[in-house]
Amino acid sequence: MALKDLSTAELETQLTDARDAYAKFANRGLLLDITRGKPSPEQLDLSADLLTAVTNDDCISPSGVDVRNYGGLEGLRELREIFGELFRVPVDQILAQGNASLTLMQQALTFALLHGTPELDTPWATHSRRIVCPVPGYDRHFALAEELGFELITVPMDDEGPDVSAVRELVATDPTIKGIWVVPMYSNPTGATISEERARLLLDMPTAAPDFRVLWDNAYGLHHLREPHGQMLDVLALAEEAGNPNRVLQFASTSKITHAGAGVSFIAASPENISWFLKHLGAGSIGPDKINQLRHLRFFGDAAGVVAHMAKHAELIRPKFDAVISTLEAQLAGSGIAGWTNPDGGYFITLTVLPGTADRVVKLAAEAGVKLTPAGATHPYGLDPDNAVIRIAPTMPSLEDVSAAAEGLAACVRLAALEKLLAED
Amino acid sequence: MALKDLSTAELETQLTDARDAYAKFANRGLLLDITRGKPSPEQLDLSADLLTAVTNDDCISPSGVDVRNYGGLEGLRELREIFGELFRVPVDQILAQGNASLTLMQQALTFALLHGTPELDTPWATHSRRIVCPVPGYDRHFALAEELGFELITVPMDDEGPDVSAVRELVATDPTIKGIWVVPMYSNPTGATISEERARLLLDMPTAAPDFRVLWDNAYGLHHLREPHGQMLDVLALAEEAGNPNRVLQFASTSKITHAGAGVSFIAASPENISWFLKHLGAGSIGPDKINQLRHLRFFGDAAGVVAHMAKHAELIRPKFDAVISTLEAQLAGSGIAGWTNPDGGYFITLTVLPGTADRVVKLAAEAGVKLTPAGATHPYGLDPDNAVIRIAPTMPSLEDVSAAAEGLAACVRLAALEKLLAED
């Protein structure tokens, strides 16, 4: 029965029970962390052989490059071929770089700020600028754009992606709106995948800024939890079809495929955007770490090798997602005080609690030993107007710990809701 | 006898001889490249064991960090301790980052352009800006600053570093002059090492810009060719003594210590500068490749390990430098048409030819199979007003090839000089 339909007396009884449940959980003295989307040690172990895939006797790439020396700004061609195939991009339109796609996003935005774009040589830094942030979204996207002087404008997300009507209306008349963040598959934090229809609408909509960019952070495009899974959109082809080939900058990395701190990042875009990016990149780089790229090439062998590797990740991660979902289901279904996503991939579950209680839930959980991402982190400026969204990152802890964390979290959600309902009563 | 003292007839005889010598060299059909400061394969082999220094069974740092996962923006502490000791910097004032110190320079300048500095929050991008470039200098420094919108102002270099009187005069009154490039030891390309007196003058000079920076690119500070060698200046302490602790940003890397494309870069600065750098760096990075940093830590063990390793490089490089110098000596000494540096470290020799002939020498050499850095590359905008400076990079080719290249180069220098002297005659 939904809590809101209970009488005050019934709520008070429930509150006593909820306090007991919470105290019992807190007394277990656990120390659990489900804040960040980090792979578990077991996931990292899947890439064990990568570490010894390049030795000094064997440090020449298939096309004859001594990967130990300088050069090769675009990244190792054979590795770009594999990830080009996976991300549906011609090899000349994808670059392989350092260990973080976030750095590529910072660089792309910085180059636009300082130099303008292929379409418009007015540096973005010379005028006020805004960026569209679908919410809930990824805190580091918001923080990066804020650091770079963008005003963050919120639009809602649903199961098929951003509210494109809202976006279209915003960008049609405001030339200071220069872009939108999109995590196309298994988005952070809801797990939603953008529909082809929404993608097409973003790619062909009229924009007042001639160099508007869709920052297509395809961080989880290969991170399926279940079979069969959806197909990745060929976003560069869609942009070209829409007559806006330069509109998309696609980002990806192997951070959650091989080693989180020592993977390879990728940027894919139109030929014109790639030339533009390389020109500015080359002022500060002679080339990325090709040894690590050759390690990745040898470890995977080909695109099928990446797919097979990702299936092993899914085997390790899926039970953790399932444990969180089933615990939330068991503890909170029908209570009317919480909803949650049940994603088919990616790294996160979004828990939506009774409006006004997310910060209280996070605080209660912390005091009981469960560390969560701060309430509001999924929104620009850390401000969730409903104070209702909590991001759960189930991958890093053990299955046992993640189950315990979900149970404790459910107790916090219930307690916070009852406190609120009684306070309003 | 100096060529300028010869009669026309004598010059004509010499020209015929020089043409013969050049033709003989060109007919050997060599293909030699002494353009870039790249380590040779034998130098790269010195770091063979680094490639297997981290395996999956042993991927935890001494302080307990699983280097495969995210985090640790500052870089691996134990590696920063080693390089802090070598560069005379407290561990909290040095960061270990990705594979290129050039990228750190680009980032530092970009952060100042977009955000200003600890002393002055006016972003440098909001006004015209200039940077002092001692010449001859490093082409990538000049290109990076030009890309970032700095006007490049030239001052001369001599054996003790930049002409500090000229610098002091420039910076005293012009607040748009925001910095100076300095390669303190074994500079690129002359091999000169800055004297402590010059360094102190740069560090305590009054500057119209309150956030003037000395970009101290200590790329070759550990790259001694001969013993005994000079001591590295404690530049951060000197800056602090001068009352300008924030004035210096020091850069270094292991690109020419371990693997040119896959080393570790370092930035060292005042605590205030380090906080500033980390704040902006953190918007685009969760941390550098710690696996590679742990490889370096294990490979070296300690600072003495680095020093011992550099002695092995010197054993490989020194004969190449000596071969170039002795060939130039044998072919050109006393001719009055060329001078050259004889550095105690670093990667380059500067050859100064008869004014007006450097581009001709480079062209003749190319036609005879010896590729040199373009004439002018050692000067801002590629413009050497004397058309006289040529950079020689002897490290990459074999000893035999570098000797042949030097011999051919000498023939080109002589031929170009004779052509010029006769044309003027």
Side-chain angles (χ1 to χ4, degrees), chain B residues 137-154:
Chain B
Y138 178 34
D139 54 354
R140 291 192 194 271
H141 285 166
F142 303 155
L144 172 60
E146 189 182 356
E147 147 97 4
L148 294 175
F150 290 87
E151 183 191 344
L152 313 180
I153 311 168
T154 299

mmCIF file with all atom_site columns, all heavy atoms in Angstrom, chain B residues 137-154:
data_model
loop_
_atom_site.group_PDB
_atom_site.id
_atom_site.type_symbol
_atom_site.label_atom_id
_atom_site.label_alt_id
_atom_site.label_comp_id
_atom_site.label_asym_id
_atom_site.label_entity_id
_atom_site.label_seq_id
_atom_site.pdbx_PDB_ins_code
_atom_site.Cartn_x
_atom_site.Cartn_y
_atom_site.Cartn_z
_atom_site.occupancy
_atom_site.B_iso_or_equiv
_atom_site.pdbx_formal_charge
_atom_site.auth_seq_id
_atom_site.auth_comp_id
_atom_site.auth_asym_id
_atom_site.auth_atom_id
_atom_site.pdbx_PDB_model_num
ATOM 1   N N   . GLY B 1 137 ? 66.111 28.807 -30.460 1.00 0.00 ? 137 GLY B N   1
ATOM 2   C CA  . GLY B 1 137 ? 65.322 28.087 -29.465 1.00 0.00 ? 137 GLY B CA  1
ATOM 3   C C   . GLY B 1 137 ? 64.580 26.920 -30.096 1.00 0.00 ? 137 GLY B C   1
ATOM 4   O O   . GLY B 1 137 ? 64.888 26.494 -31.217 1.00 0.00 ? 137 GLY B O   1
ATOM 5   N N   . TYR B 1 138 ? 63.562 26.452 -29.371 1.00 0.00 ? 138 TYR B N   1
ATOM 6   C CA  . TYR B 1 138 ? 62.877 25.198 -29.716 1.00 0.00 ? 138 TYR B CA  1
ATOM 7   C C   . TYR B 1 138 ? 61.621 25.507 -30.529 1.00 0.00 ? 138 TYR B C   1
ATOM 8   O O   . TYR B 1 138 ? 60.737 26.228 -30.075 1.00 0.00 ? 138 TYR B O   1
ATOM 9   C CB  . TYR B 1 138 ? 62.523 24.485 -28.406 1.00 0.00 ? 138 TYR B CB  1
ATOM 10  C CG  . TYR B 1 138 ? 61.768 23.179 -28.529 1.00 0.00 ? 138 TYR B CG  1
ATOM 11  C CD1 . TYR B 1 138 ? 61.977 22.301 -29.591 1.00 0.00 ? 138 TYR B CD1 1
ATOM 12  C CD2 . TYR B 1 138 ? 60.876 22.799 -27.540 1.00 0.00 ? 138 TYR B CD2 1
ATOM 13  C CE1 . TYR B 1 138 ? 61.288 21.096 -29.662 1.00 0.00 ? 138 TYR B CE1 1
ATOM 14  C CE2 . TYR B 1 138 ? 60.187 21.591 -27.600 1.00 0.00 ? 138 TYR B CE2 1
ATOM 15  C CZ  . TYR B 1 138 ? 60.396 20.747 -28.671 1.00 0.00 ? 138 TYR B CZ  1
ATOM 16  O OH  . TYR B 1 138 ? 59.719 19.557 -28.734 1.00 0.00 ? 138 TYR B OH  1
ATOM 17  N N   . ASP B 1 139 ? 61.540 24.950 -31.706 1.00 0.00 ? 139 ASP B N   1
ATOM 18  C CA  . ASP B 1 139 ? 60.428 25.281 -32.609 1.00 0.00 ? 139 ASP B CA  1
ATOM 19  C C   . ASP B 1 139 ? 59.055 24.966 -32.016 1.00 0.00 ? 139 ASP B C   1
ATOM 20  O O   . ASP B 1 139 ? 58.090 25.699 -32.242 1.00 0.00 ? 139 ASP B O   1
ATOM 21  C CB  . ASP B 1 139 ? 60.599 24.626 -33.992 1.00 0.00 ? 139 ASP B CB  1
ATOM 22  C CG  . ASP B 1 139 ? 60.799 23.118 -33.961 1.00 0.00 ? 139 ASP B CG  1
ATOM 23  O OD1 . ASP B 1 139 ? 60.919 22.560 -32.846 1.00 0.00 ? 139 ASP B OD1 1
ATOM 24  O OD2 . ASP B 1 139 ? 60.844 22.500 -35.044 1.00 0.00 ? 139 ASP B OD2 1
ATOM 25  N N   . ARG B 1 140 ? 58.947 23.890 -31.237 1.00 0.00 ? 140 ARG B N   1
ATOM 26  C CA  . ARG B 1 140 ? 57.628 23.555 -30.686 1.00 0.00 ? 140 ARG B CA  1
ATOM 27  C C   . ARG B 1 140 ? 57.184 24.554 -29.606 1.00 0.00 ? 140 ARG B C   1
ATOM 28  O O   . ARG B 1 140 ? 55.995 24.763 -29.409 1.00 0.00 ? 140 ARG B O   1
ATOM 29  C CB  . ARG B 1 140 ? 57.604 22.128 -30.138 1.00 0.00 ? 140 ARG B CB  1
ATOM 30  C CG  . ARG B 1 140 ? 57.688 21.076 -31.229 1.00 0.00 ? 140 ARG B CG  1
ATOM 31  C CD  . ARG B 1 140 ? 57.371 19.688 -30.679 1.00 0.00 ? 140 ARG B CD  1
ATOM 32  N NE  . ARG B 1 140 ? 57.758 18.655 -31.613 1.00 0.00 ? 140 ARG B NE  1
ATOM 33  C CZ  . ARG B 1 140 ? 56.975 18.161 -32.579 1.00 0.00 ? 140 ARG B CZ  1
ATOM 34  N NH1 . ARG B 1 140 ? 55.764 18.625 -32.743 1.00 0.00 ? 140 ARG B NH1 1
ATOM 35  N NH2 . ARG B 1 140 ? 57.416 17.211 -33.380 1.00 0.00 ? 140 ARG B NH2 1
ATOM 36  N N   . HIS B 1 141 ? 58.136 25.133 -28.876 1.00 0.00 ? 141 HIS B N   1
ATOM 37  C CA  . HIS B 1 141 ? 57.769 26.208 -27.940 1.00 0.00 ? 141 HIS B CA  1
ATOM 38  C C   . HIS B 1 141 ? 57.145 27.377 -28.708 1.00 0.00 ? 141 HIS B C   1
ATOM 39  O O   . HIS B 1 141 ? 56.104 27.913 -28.311 1.00 0.00 ? 141 HIS B O   1
ATOM 40  C CB  . HIS B 1 141 ? 58.999 26.734 -27.208 1.00 0.00 ? 141 HIS B CB  1
ATOM 41  C CG  . HIS B 1 141 ? 59.524 25.836 -26.123 1.00 0.00 ? 141 HIS B CG  1
ATOM 42  N ND1 . HIS B 1 141 ? 60.770 26.025 -25.564 1.00 0.00 ? 141 HIS B ND1 1
ATOM 43  C CD2 . HIS B 1 141 ? 58.982 24.763 -25.501 1.00 0.00 ? 141 HIS B CD2 1
ATOM 44  C CE1 . HIS B 1 141 ? 60.964 25.098 -24.630 1.00 0.00 ? 141 HIS B CE1 1
ATOM 45  N NE2 . HIS B 1 141 ? 59.903 24.321 -24.570 1.00 0.00 ? 141 HIS B NE2 1
ATOM 46  N N   . PHE B 1 142 ? 57.815 27.739 -29.771 1.00 0.00 ? 142 PHE B N   1
ATOM 47  C CA  . PHE B 1 142 ? 57.355 28.902 -30.540 1.00 0.00 ? 142 PHE B CA  1
ATOM 48  C C   . PHE B 1 142 ? 55.984 28.622 -31.158 1.00 0.00 ? 142 PHE B C   1
ATOM 49  O O   . PHE B 1 142 ? 55.074 29.452 -31.101 1.00 0.00 ? 142 PHE B O   1
ATOM 50  C CB  . PHE B 1 142 ? 58.372 29.258 -31.634 1.00 0.00 ? 142 PHE B CB  1
ATOM 51  C CG  . PHE B 1 142 ? 59.766 29.536 -31.121 1.00 0.00 ? 142 PHE B CG  1
ATOM 52  C CD1 . PHE B 1 142 ? 60.880 29.363 -31.930 1.00 0.00 ? 142 PHE B CD1 1
ATOM 53  C CD2 . PHE B 1 142 ? 59.971 29.964 -29.804 1.00 0.00 ? 142 PHE B CD2 1
ATOM 54  C CE1 . PHE B 1 142 ? 62.161 29.621 -31.460 1.00 0.00 ? 142 PHE B CE1 1
ATOM 55  C CE2 . PHE B 1 142 ? 61.251 30.219 -29.325 1.00 0.00 ? 142 PHE B CE2 1
ATOM 56  C CZ  . PHE B 1 142 ? 62.350 30.044 -30.156 1.00 0.00 ? 142 PHE B CZ  1
ATOM 57  N N   . ALA B 1 143 ? 55.852 27.423 -31.744 1.00 0.00 ? 143 ALA B N   1
ATOM 58  C CA  . ALA B 1 143 ? 54.590 27.081 -32.419 1.00 0.00 ? 143 ALA B CA  1
ATOM 59  C C   . ALA B 1 143 ? 53.433 27.020 -31.425 1.00 0.00 ? 143 ALA B C   1
ATOM 60  O O   . ALA B 1 143 ? 52.320 27.470 -31.721 1.00 0.00 ? 143 ALA B O   1
ATOM 61  C CB  . ALA B 1 143 ? 54.743 25.740 -33.149 1.00 0.00 ? 143 ALA B CB  1
ATOM 62  N N   . LEU B 1 144 ? 53.699 26.486 -30.240 1.00 0.00 ? 144 LEU B N   1
ATOM 63  C CA  . LEU B 1 144 ? 52.644 26.387 -29.229 1.00 0.00 ? 144 LEU B CA  1
ATOM 64  C C   . LEU B 1 144 ? 52.171 27.779 -28.812 1.00 0.00 ? 144 LEU B C   1
ATOM 65  O O   . LEU B 1 144 ? 50.965 28.065 -28.765 1.00 0.00 ? 144 LEU B O   1
ATOM 66  C CB  . LEU B 1 144 ? 53.145 25.603 -28.012 1.00 0.00 ? 144 LEU B CB  1
ATOM 67  C CG  . LEU B 1 144 ? 52.224 25.584 -26.800 1.00 0.00 ? 144 LEU B CG  1
ATOM 68  C CD1 . LEU B 1 144 ? 50.863 24.969 -27.138 1.00 0.00 ? 144 LEU B CD1 1
ATOM 69  C CD2 . LEU B 1 144 ? 52.874 24.814 -25.632 1.00 0.00 ? 144 LEU B CD2 1
ATOM 70  N N   . ALA B 1 145 ? 53.138 28.655 -28.531 1.00 0.00 ? 145 ALA B N   1
ATOM 71  C CA  . ALA B 1 145 ? 52.766 30.010 -28.099 1.00 0.00 ? 145 ALA B CA  1
ATOM 72  C C   . ALA B 1 145 ? 52.034 30.748 -29.217 1.00 0.00 ? 145 ALA B C   1
ATOM 73  O O   . ALA B 1 145 ? 51.053 31.465 -28.969 1.00 0.00 ? 145 ALA B O   1
ATOM 74  C CB  . ALA B 1 145 ? 54.010 30.775 -27.657 1.00 0.00 ? 145 ALA B CB  1
ATOM 75  N N   . GLU B 1 146 ? 52.484 30.563 -30.445 1.00 0.00 ? 146 GLU B N   1
ATOM 76  C CA  . GLU B 1 146 ? 51.836 31.226 -31.579 1.00 0.00 ? 146 GLU B CA  1
ATOM 77  C C   . GLU B 1 146 ? 50.392 30.732 -31.722 1.00 0.00 ? 146 GLU B C   1
ATOM 78  O O   . GLU B 1 146 ? 49.457 31.528 -31.879 1.00 0.00 ? 146 GLU B O   1
ATOM 79  C CB  . GLU B 1 146 ? 52.639 30.964 -32.852 1.00 0.00 ? 146 GLU B CB  1
ATOM 80  C CG  . GLU B 1 146 ? 52.155 31.788 -34.033 1.00 0.00 ? 146 GLU B CG  1
ATOM 81  C CD  . GLU B 1 146 ? 52.916 31.497 -35.321 1.00 0.00 ? 146 GLU B CD  1
ATOM 82  O OE1 . GLU B 1 146 ? 53.886 30.712 -35.299 1.00 0.00 ? 146 GLU B OE1 1
ATOM 83  O OE2 . GLU B 1 146 ? 52.506 32.055 -36.359 1.00 0.00 ? 146 GLU B OE2 1
ATOM 84  N N   . GLU B 1 147 ? 50.224 29.400 -31.636 1.00 0.00 ? 147 GLU B N   1
ATOM 85  C CA  . GLU B 1 147 ? 48.885 28.791 -31.694 1.00 0.00 ? 147 GLU B CA  1
ATOM 86  C C   . GLU B 1 147 ? 47.969 29.383 -30.618 1.00 0.00 ? 147 GLU B C   1
ATOM 87  O O   . GLU B 1 147 ? 46.763 29.530 -30.808 1.00 0.00 ? 147 GLU B O   1
ATOM 88  C CB  . GLU B 1 147 ? 49.040 27.273 -31.509 1.00 0.00 ? 147 GLU B CB  1
ATOM 89  C CG  . GLU B 1 147 ? 47.916 26.545 -30.796 1.00 0.00 ? 147 GLU B CG  1
ATOM 90  C CD  . GLU B 1 147 ? 46.910 25.900 -31.736 1.00 0.00 ? 147 GLU B CD  1
ATOM 91  O OE1 . GLU B 1 147 ? 47.122 25.941 -32.952 1.00 0.00 ? 147 GLU B OE1 1
ATOM 92  O OE2 . GLU B 1 147 ? 45.910 25.370 -31.229 1.00 0.00 ? 147 GLU B OE2 1
ATOM 93  N N   . LEU B 1 148 ? 48.551 29.712 -29.474 1.00 0.00 ? 148 LEU B N   1
ATOM 94  C CA  . LEU B 1 148 ? 47.740 30.227 -28.376 1.00 0.00 ? 148 LEU B CA  1
ATOM 95  C C   . LEU B 1 148 ? 47.621 31.754 -28.404 1.00 0.00 ? 148 LEU B C   1
ATOM 96  O O   . LEU B 1 148 ? 47.186 32.375 -27.440 1.00 0.00 ? 148 LEU B O   1
ATOM 97  C CB  . LEU B 1 148 ? 48.294 29.735 -27.037 1.00 0.00 ? 148 LEU B CB  1
ATOM 98  C CG  . LEU B 1 148 ? 48.179 28.207 -26.838 1.00 0.00 ? 148 LEU B CG  1
ATOM 99  C CD1 . LEU B 1 148 ? 48.851 27.774 -25.546 1.00 0.00 ? 148 LEU B CD1 1
ATOM 100 C CD2 . LEU B 1 148 ? 46.719 27.747 -26.861 1.00 0.00 ? 148 LEU B CD2 1
ATOM 101 N N   . GLY B 1 149 ? 48.026 32.355 -29.514 1.00 0.00 ? 149 GLY B N   1
ATOM 102 C CA  . GLY B 1 149 ? 47.759 33.774 -29.718 1.00 0.00 ? 149 GLY B CA  1
ATOM 103 C C   . GLY B 1 149 ? 48.796 34.714 -29.132 1.00 0.00 ? 149 GLY B C   1
ATOM 104 O O   . GLY B 1 149 ? 48.541 35.919 -29.009 1.00 0.00 ? 149 GLY B O   1
ATOM 105 N N   . PHE B 1 150 ? 49.957 34.201 -28.769 1.00 0.00 ? 150 PHE B N   1
ATOM 106 C CA  . PHE B 1 150 ? 51.020 35.079 -28.274 1.00 0.00 ? 150 PHE B CA  1
ATOM 107 C C   . PHE B 1 150 ? 51.815 35.640 -29.440 1.00 0.00 ? 150 PHE B C   1
ATOM 108 O O   . PHE B 1 150 ? 52.152 34.908 -30.379 1.00 0.00 ? 150 PHE B O   1
ATOM 109 C CB  . PHE B 1 150 ? 51.994 34.306 -27.368 1.00 0.00 ? 150 PHE B CB  1
ATOM 110 C CG  . PHE B 1 150 ? 51.424 33.903 -26.048 1.00 0.00 ? 150 PHE B CG  1
ATOM 111 C CD1 . PHE B 1 150 ? 50.726 32.710 -25.914 1.00 0.00 ? 150 PHE B CD1 1
ATOM 112 C CD2 . PHE B 1 150 ? 51.579 34.711 -24.934 1.00 0.00 ? 150 PHE B CD2 1
ATOM 113 C CE1 . PHE B 1 150 ? 50.191 32.329 -24.698 1.00 0.00 ? 150 PHE B CE1 1
ATOM 114 C CE2 . PHE B 1 150 ? 51.051 34.332 -23.706 1.00 0.00 ? 150 PHE B CE2 1
ATOM 115 C CZ  . PHE B 1 150 ? 50.350 33.143 -23.588 1.00 0.00 ? 150 PHE B CZ  1
ATOM 116 N N   . GLU B 1 151 ? 52.134 36.918 -29.349 1.00 0.00 ? 151 GLU B N   1
ATOM 117 C CA  . GLU B 1 151 ? 53.136 37.475 -30.260 1.00 0.00 ? 151 GLU B CA  1
ATOM 118 C C   . GLU B 1 151 ? 54.507 37.059 -29.731 1.00 0.00 ? 151 GLU B C   1
ATOM 119 O O   . GLU B 1 151 ? 54.777 37.172 -28.527 1.00 0.00 ? 151 GLU B O   1
ATOM 120 C CB  . GLU B 1 151 ? 53.011 38.996 -30.305 1.00 0.00 ? 151 GLU B CB  1
ATOM 121 C CG  . GLU B 1 151 ? 53.968 39.628 -31.296 1.00 0.00 ? 151 GLU B CG  1
ATOM 122 C CD  . GLU B 1 151 ? 54.033 41.157 -31.152 1.00 0.00 ? 151 GLU B CD  1
ATOM 123 O OE1 . GLU B 1 151 ? 53.134 41.740 -30.519 1.00 0.00 ? 151 GLU B OE1 1
ATOM 124 O OE2 . GLU B 1 151 ? 55.004 41.741 -31.648 1.00 0.00 ? 151 GLU B OE2 1
ATOM 125 N N   . LEU B 1 152 ? 55.361 36.578 -30.619 1.00 0.00 ? 152 LEU B N   1
ATOM 126 C CA  . LEU B 1 152 ? 56.668 36.058 -30.212 1.00 0.00 ? 152 LEU B CA  1
ATOM 127 C C   . LEU B 1 152 ? 57.727 37.149 -30.337 1.00 0.00 ? 152 LEU B C   1
ATOM 128 O O   . LEU B 1 152 ? 57.919 37.705 -31.412 1.00 0.00 ? 152 LEU B O   1
ATOM 129 C CB  . LEU B 1 152 ? 57.037 34.855 -31.086 1.00 0.00 ? 152 LEU B CB  1
ATOM 130 C CG  . LEU B 1 152 ? 55.945 33.781 -31.291 1.00 0.00 ? 152 LEU B CG  1
ATOM 131 C CD1 . LEU B 1 152 ? 56.461 32.653 -32.184 1.00 0.00 ? 152 LEU B CD1 1
ATOM 132 C CD2 . LEU B 1 152 ? 55.442 33.236 -29.969 1.00 0.00 ? 152 LEU B CD2 1
ATOM 133 N N   . ILE B 1 153 ? 58.369 37.453 -29.218 1.00 0.00 ? 153 ILE B N   1
ATOM 134 C CA  . ILE B 1 153 ? 59.397 38.498 -29.220 1.00 0.00 ? 153 ILE B CA  1
ATOM 135 C C   . ILE B 1 153 ? 60.757 37.851 -29.004 1.00 0.00 ? 153 ILE B C   1
ATOM 136 O O   . ILE B 1 153 ? 60.956 37.106 -28.045 1.00 0.00 ? 153 ILE B O   1
ATOM 137 C CB  . ILE B 1 153 ? 59.175 39.501 -28.077 1.00 0.00 ? 153 ILE B CB  1
ATOM 138 C CG1 . ILE B 1 153 ? 57.725 39.972 -28.072 1.00 0.00 ? 153 ILE B CG1 1
ATOM 139 C CG2 . ILE B 1 153 ? 60.119 40.677 -28.210 1.00 0.00 ? 153 ILE B CG2 1
ATOM 140 C CD1 . ILE B 1 153 ? 57.395 40.711 -26.803 1.00 0.00 ? 153 ILE B CD1 1
ATOM 141 N N   . THR B 1 154 ? 61.676 38.167 -29.879 1.00 0.00 ? 154 THR B N   1
ATOM 142 C CA  . THR B 1 154 ? 62.981 37.528 -29.875 1.00 0.00 ? 154 THR B CA  1
ATOM 143 C C   . THR B 1 154 ? 63.989 38.260 -28.986 1.00 0.00 ? 154 THR B C   1
ATOM 144 O O   . THR B 1 154 ? 64.045 39.480 -29.015 1.00 0.00 ? 154 THR B O   1
ATOM 145 C CB  . THR B 1 154 ? 63.507 37.508 -31.328 1.00 0.00 ? 154 THR B CB  1
ATOM 146 O OG1 . THR B 1 154 ? 62.593 36.741 -32.104 1.00 0.00 ? 154 THR B OG1 1
ATOM 147 C CG2 . THR B 1 154 ? 64.872 36.919 -31.428 1.00 0.00 ? 154 THR B CG2 1
#
